Amino acid sequence: MKTIDELLHEGVEGKRVFVRADLNVPLDGTTITDDGRIRAVVPTVKALADAGARVVVASHLGRPKGAPDPAFSLAPAAARLGELLGTDVAFATDTVGDSATETVAGLGNGQVAVLENLRFNPGETSKDDAERGAFADSLAALADLYVGDGFGAVHRKHASVYDLPARLPHAAGYLIATEVGVLKKLTDDVKRPYAVALGGAKVSDKLGVIDHLLERADRILIGGGMAYTFLKAQGHEVGISLLQEDQIPVVQEYLARAKERGVEFVLPVDVLVSPEFPDLKTKAPANPTTVAADAIPADEEGLDIGPETRKLYASKLADAATVFWNGPMGVFEHPDYAEGTKAVAQALVDSPAFTVVGGGDSAAAVRILGFDENAFGHISTGGGASLEYLEGKTLPGLAALED
């Protein structure tokens, strides 16, 4: 895989460089609530601009249905990128139309432009190779070189991620190089003990990575909504907690395999419950009750791990040499249910291990709960991409960057 440093060494002055970034940031209206993904691509964009390239940044945001939708405009992200770069950033109001053509043509050496949301064009996500390829052809007409740096999208076989690199000389940006280097430390050269903390809502989202980690991890901690399927698989009452009943046989098989292989599976011993889901807008007090994990009332819902589980999980992470964490332990967006997620984050901060926060809601939680990002070994920008890499899958966006 060619690196951006090699590209810079060859010279990019005056060349139009298409940077596939991941500017898929959360928005409250037009206000960005977490700019982590924008900050992550700044080193690549700045290096190219400083070398005299004419930088064309493109990304998706959200899930528009192949047509323009103001709610998913990249305009706020373009403005924030300009602030972080300390320079004006031009913004094209379409992807491959007149505005994009004129905006790119108007760039001088060292200047930067951002195209509108790639998913406003149905060709970006099309499963039809010809339709996707036609869109990639149009994007290729805007550039001389391609740099892939949108790690959060490399698991998608999309036009700007998979098809476009085949049409232009290409290289990996700094973010992708960093992400891949970190993930190799979690797969090829793992320092032990290797502990994994998995949370989030659905156990089905994590089955592939659990299957893969059963062959590699020494210890797997389970929290979040997915924990209740594990508890149910052990025969416990889970009340009205989030439950994927159809996944219980698979979970039981994983628990049996873990026992056979000597992999320690750690489940909650107590949980915070309530008969009602909390109001995440007003953050009104929820007044949860703490109960043993095997004593959840039939009419209540588990919404966070309890205080004894927090201590248990912290102790299970304390002696690890490598820790991977993906998924919150509870409904961290509400202060009454944030302590479980906060405890796991703090355990990673306190640990001397190589610690990786696996993107998605975990990365958002770290920032929302006020942790110093530099206290972690690495915070990934791509939750889904990280998980698929750890599952051993071939990621289309990385394969496309290989020569």
Side-chain angles (χ1 to χ4, degrees):
M1 188 181 292
K2 191 172 187 176
T3 68
I4 186 174
D5 283 333
E6 293 175 81
L7 201 66
L8 292 168
H9 180 72
E10 292 170 0
V12 295
E13 186 173 2
K15 294 183 178 178
R16 301 168 301 163
V17 182
F18 188 104
V19 177
R20 196 350 174 146
D22 180 10
L23 308 181
N24 185 28
V25 292
L27 294 171
D28 181 2
T30 58
T31 301
I32 296 169
T33 57
D34 179 3
D35 68 355
R37 284 177 169 168
I38 302 176
R39 286 186 283 114
V41 78
V42 166
T44 290
V45 174
K46 189 175 187 308
L48 289 166
D50 287 349
R54 303 178 183 194
V55 188
V56 182
V57 180
S59 175
H60 71 286
L61 191 151
R63 296 177 182 271
K65 302 185 184 300
D69 183 338
F72 297 106
S73 175
L74 275 172
R80 181 58 180 149
L81 179 61
E83 291 172 359
L84 292 167
L85 290 169
T87 187
D88 289 336
V89 168
F91 181 66
T93 57
D94 56 24
T95 55
V96 293
D98 291 342
S99 180
T101 301
E102 291 168 11
T103 301
V104 173
L107 289 175
N109 292 0
Q111 293 186 324
V112 180
V114 173
L115 304 182
E116 185 53 284
N117 193 335
L118 290 166
R119 290 187 183 175
F120 285 0
N121 190 303
E124 170 68 0
T125 59
S126 177
K127 293 184 179 178
D128 181 84
D129 291 348
E131 184 179 17
R132 222 175 44 247
F135 184 50
D137 287 339
S138 297
L139 291 172
L142 298 172
D144 305 303
L145 303 168
Y146 177 95
V147 172
D149 213 30
F151 180 73
V154 293
H155 58 315
R156 305 295 188 194
K157 192 176 181 180
H158 291 170
S160 65
V161 176
Y162 178 75
D163 302 273
L164 184 54
R167 289 158 167 78
L168 295 169
H170 50 264
Y174 291 125
L175 175 60
I176 279 187
T178 298
E179 294 273 14
V180 171
V182 166
L183 288 169
K184 284 183 177 178
K185 291 184 180 179
L186 298 178
T187 52
D188 300 338
D189 185 26
V190 183
K191 293 183 179 178
R192 299 187 178 279
Y194 179 18
V196 177
L198 296 175
K202 295 181 179 180
V203 68
S204 57
D205 293 341
K206 303 291 196 303
L207 289 178
V209 76
I210 292 172
D211 183 59
H212 205 64
L213 288 168
L214 281 172
E215 309 297 320
R216 290 160 179 79
D218 300 300
R219 195 174 296 152
I220 301 175
L221 288 59
I222 301 292
M226 62 186 286
Y228 303 101
T229 301
F230 278 86
L231 292 171
K232 186 73 171 181
Q234 292 187 324
H236 301 312
E237 170 67 56
V238 298
I240 57 172
S241 304
L242 191 62
L243 174 66
Q244 289 187 283
E245 204 143 5
D246 62 322
Q247 301 298 333
I248 287 176
V250 181
V251 167
Q252 290 173 329
E253 178 202 333
Y254 285 176
L255 290 170
R257 275 177 58 198
K259 189 174 182 180
E260 289 172 8
R261 297 191 61 82
V263 177
E264 186 180 5
F265 243 106
V266 190
L267 300 179
V269 295
D270 62 346
V271 296
L272 270 59
V273 299
S274 172
E276 295 181 335
F277 195 83
D279 189 324
L280 300 183
K281 287 189 176 180
T282 66
K283 304 290 197 295
N287 302 314
T289 304
T290 301
V291 300
D294 59 358
I296 298 174
D299 60 349
E300 299 204 36
E301 178 178 11
L303 296 163
D304 193 15
I305 57 174
E308 292 305 314
T309 305
R310 291 173 221 151
K311 293 177 190 173
L312 173 65
Y313 284 14
S315 71
K316 295 295 183 180
L317 297 171
D319 65 344
T322 303
V323 179
F324 174 72
W325 169 37
N326 180 280
M329 296 292 108
V331 187
F332 73 92
E333 300 92 340
H334 192 285
D336 287 350
Y337 301 106
E339 293 302 317
T341 302
K342 195 180 293 183
V344 169
Q346 188 62 54
L348 266 67
V349 169
D350 294 340
S351 172
F354 175 62
T355 57
V356 178
V357 180
D361 286 341
S362 312
V366 162
R367 299 182 183 106
I368 289 170
L369 297 175
F371 286 91
D372 179 0
E373 295 179 45
N374 295 320
F376 302 89
H378 179 69
I379 299 178
S380 179
T381 56
S386 294
L387 290 176
E388 290 199 15
Y389 189 100
L390 292 180
E391 287 177 41
K393 291 184 177 179
T394 297
L395 306 188
L398 296 185
L401 294 175
E402 299 286 353
D403 290 318

